[in-house]
């Protein structure tokens, strides 16, 4: 499910960003598609400011998300791979962002898929070292 969701929504960037700008960039295509509102992006950023770096699932990989609160119009996922990792609060480096937007229970299946991938060290390393969209998609085969 993840592969089909992100296939057309992967951004590779060598910009020097902070974590807030990274979440915004990772979310922009979902805004452009009408899947989420800009408020959803603000909510994701506020969650980190309020609750810390809980979205950093394993070193270098984050899963920004928030409650829908009417700001998610279609379940979707996007991916941002940064050449230059950003530092989150608590000094946690992140170079791969998967923005998760759901307005129903479908996120449970998606989270299960992420858990399967992130439980394998080799796949985490492949994501961390990915240089192309194809490198990222190959992790989800």
């Amino acid at each position: 499910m993840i592969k089909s969701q992100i296939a057309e929504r992967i951004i590779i960037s060598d910009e020097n960003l902070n974590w807030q700008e990274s979440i915004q960039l990772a979310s922009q295509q979902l805004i452009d598609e009408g899947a989420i509102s800009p408020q959803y992006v603000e909510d994701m950023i506020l969650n980190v400011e309020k609750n810390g770096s809980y979205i950093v699932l394993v070193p270098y990989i984050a899963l920004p998300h928030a409650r829908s609160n009417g700001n998610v119009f279609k379940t979707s996922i996007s991916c941002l791979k940064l050449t230059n990792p950003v530092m989150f609060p608590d000094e946690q480096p992140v170079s791969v962002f998967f923005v998760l937007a759901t307005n129903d229970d479908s996120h449970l299946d998606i989270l299960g898929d992420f858990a399967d991938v992130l439980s394998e060290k080799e796949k985490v390393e492949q994501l961390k070292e990915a240089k192309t969209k194809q490198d990222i998609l190959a992790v989800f085969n």
Side-chain angles (χ1 to χ4, degrees):
M1 179 173 209
I2 295 172
K3 184 176 180 179
S4 64
Q5 280 281 329
I6 66 168
E8 301 300 319
R9 296 185 185 120
I10 298 172
I11 298 169
I12 310 286
S13 176
D14 60 1
E15 293 179 72
N16 288 312
L17 306 171
N18 61 37
W19 65 266
Q20 296 96 328
E21 293 166 331
S22 298
I23 291 174
Q24 290 168 341
L25 180 59
S27 304
Q28 190 58 53
Q29 189 168 356
L30 299 180
I31 292 170
D32 294 346
E33 290 175 11
I36 63 173
S37 74
Q39 183 59 51
Y40 186 73
V41 180
E42 291 305 312
D43 290 347
M44 289 187 287
I45 291 169
L46 287 171
N47 277 348
V48 173
E49 290 172 349
K50 180 179 174 184
N51 302 310
S53 302
Y54 75 99
I55 65 169
V56 181
L57 303 179
V58 296
Y60 294 94
I61 300 175
L63 185 68
H65 60 283
R67 292 189 188 279
S68 173
N69 294 331
N71 295 305
V72 175
F73 312 117
K74 178 180 153 192
T75 296
S76 48
I77 306 169
S78 62
C79 178
L80 170 65
K81 172 61 170 80
L82 297 173
T83 304
N84 307 306
V86 299
M87 293 305 281
F88 265 75
D90 308 325
E91 297 302 311
Q92 295 194 55
V94 173
S95 59
V96 184
F97 293 79
F98 291 99
V99 172
L100 175 60
T102 64
N103 54 7
D104 57 29
D105 288 339
S106 63
H107 72 283
L108 298 176
D109 291 334
I110 295 168
L111 290 175
D113 291 347
F114 271 113
D116 290 344
V117 168
L118 298 180
S119 67
E120 295 183 41
K121 272 184 139 177
E122 180 181 310
K123 290 189 182 234
V124 170
E125 197 60 30
Q126 284 176 294
L127 284 171
K128 192 173 134 184
E129 299 301 322
K131 303 241 184 297
T132 67
K133 292 179 182 185
Q134 293 75 21
D135 292 344
I136 293 168
L137 290 172
V139 172
F140 297 99
N141 281 339

